[in-house]
Amino acid sequence: MAATTPAASILLTGAGSGIGLNVLAQLLEKHPATRVQVLTLFPTPELTQLEEKYGKSRLNTVYGDACDTEVVAKAVKDTITNYGTMTHLISSIGTMLPVQTIRKVSMAEIKKIFDVNFLSVFDLVQRSLPHLSAWGERKPTVIIVTSGVDFDVLYRGWSGYCTSKAALTRFIHLLAHEEPGVDVYGVLPLVTKSPMVDKIFNGEYDDVMLPEEREKFNTWAKQGKIEPPEYIADAVVKAAIGQIVPESKEVERNDCGALFIGSLYQK
């Protein structure tokens, strides 16, 4: 008889809303053997509902700031305490704030966006690596949601978001280079409906973004190109449970060994 693949034990950050919440819901609903330890900032009604539905045998939560190293350390420790192992790490944390010009943005705000989008993920990965273990015959897996704004996307006021995501994507490259025993996926969503994007449509950045930049989002909305978070969450889940593997057509491998899913997956 073939060996039975053990249950996946996943540490997931940023599961309170958006892509992360949808990743969590899909993992729990579609893959009964999966166990998830969540680290997220605060309870949301949707997350609380999942906690009540699945119970602590499959879902445990640490609430706190992922920029707080003690909170991250607790989440990693609790994953091992609750499930005995960590086979997957999935990072879905991120913020677009502040949206402000280089001339006007404060250094405190720039440091905060780097704390959230880059340094918190660095800390999370560094603390998790010693605990990641193989999942049956599969390598341990790290999946990090980054952004396609990391290279050539230009919007006025987005310097903090674009540069912090560029740092994160470069980190994914280097992580894959240094850790060949781990499957490292970077996830590049297209324009996804989220609280961040809603703020653009609500006009909250109209005094910063150029009118033609703002109009791009209106055009994409009319064309149906603002995608629900379920789309990219589905790609993350498929990579986590082995339906997408490094050899899959949905994956673009770069020279350092990093595996990227996103625009290619959705074409």
Side-chain angles (χ1 to χ4, degrees), residues 78-150:
D78 283 6
T79 306
I80 305 305
T81 299
N82 292 327
Y83 304 134
T85 186
M86 184 195 304
T87 60
H88 298 67
L89 173 64
I90 303 175
S91 170
S92 186
I93 190 172
T95 181
M96 198 169 77
L97 299 177
V99 174
Q100 185 53 269
T101 61
I102 295 168
R103 184 182 289 264
K104 293 183 179 180
V105 70
S106 72
M107 283 305 299
E109 289 177 311
I110 288 296
K111 288 178 179 178
K112 181 61 178 177
I113 200 170
F114 268 83
D115 279 346
V116 174
N117 288 350
F118 175 62
L119 293 175
S120 72
V121 182
F122 193 110
D123 183 38
L124 176 74
V125 170
Q126 187 179 64
R127 291 177 185 275
S128 298
L129 282 173
H131 304 284
L132 281 167
S133 59
W135 179 42
E137 296 181 355
R138 290 191 60 207
K139 295 178 182 179
T141 303
V142 174
I143 303 172
I144 299 173
V145 179
T146 181
S147 174
V149 304
D150 59 1

Side-chain angles (χ1 to χ4, degrees), residues 133-180:
S133 59
W135 179 42
E137 296 181 355
R138 290 191 60 207
K139 295 178 182 179
T141 303
V142 174
I143 303 172
I144 299 173
V145 179
T146 181
S147 174
V149 304
D150 59 1
F151 179 58
D152 59 358
V153 173
L154 295 171
Y155 294 114
R156 192 171 186 269
W158 286 35
S159 62
Y161 187 58
C162 292
T163 55
S164 60
K165 288 297 187 178
L168 183 60
T169 298
R170 191 67 178 134
F171 171 71
I172 294 167
H173 297 161
L174 291 162
L175 176 63
H177 178 65
E178 292 187 10
E179 298 289 339

Side-chain angles (χ1 to χ4, degrees), residues 209-222:
M209 295 177 65
L210 298 173
E212 57 268 32
E213 295 170 348
R214 171 71 165 78
E215 186 57 32
K216 287 183 182 180
F217 288 85
N218 291 335
T219 301
W220 289 331
K222 292 173 184 176

Side-chain angles (χ1 to χ4, degrees), residues 148 186-190 227 232 250 252 260-267:
V187 181
L188 297 162
L190 296 180
E227 298 190 335
I232 198 67
E250 296 90 350
E252 183 175 2
F260 281 90
I261 308 169
S263 56
L264 193 66
Y265 170 76
Q266 297 167 88
K267 283 178 180 174

Side-chain angles (χ1 to χ4, degrees), residues 13-14 38-43 61-68 71-72 93:
T13 65
V38 164
L39 167 57
T40 199
L41 189 57
F42 51 77
T61 307
V62 169
Y63 290 107
D65 189 346
C67 299
D68 185 329
V71 171
V72 174
I93 190 172

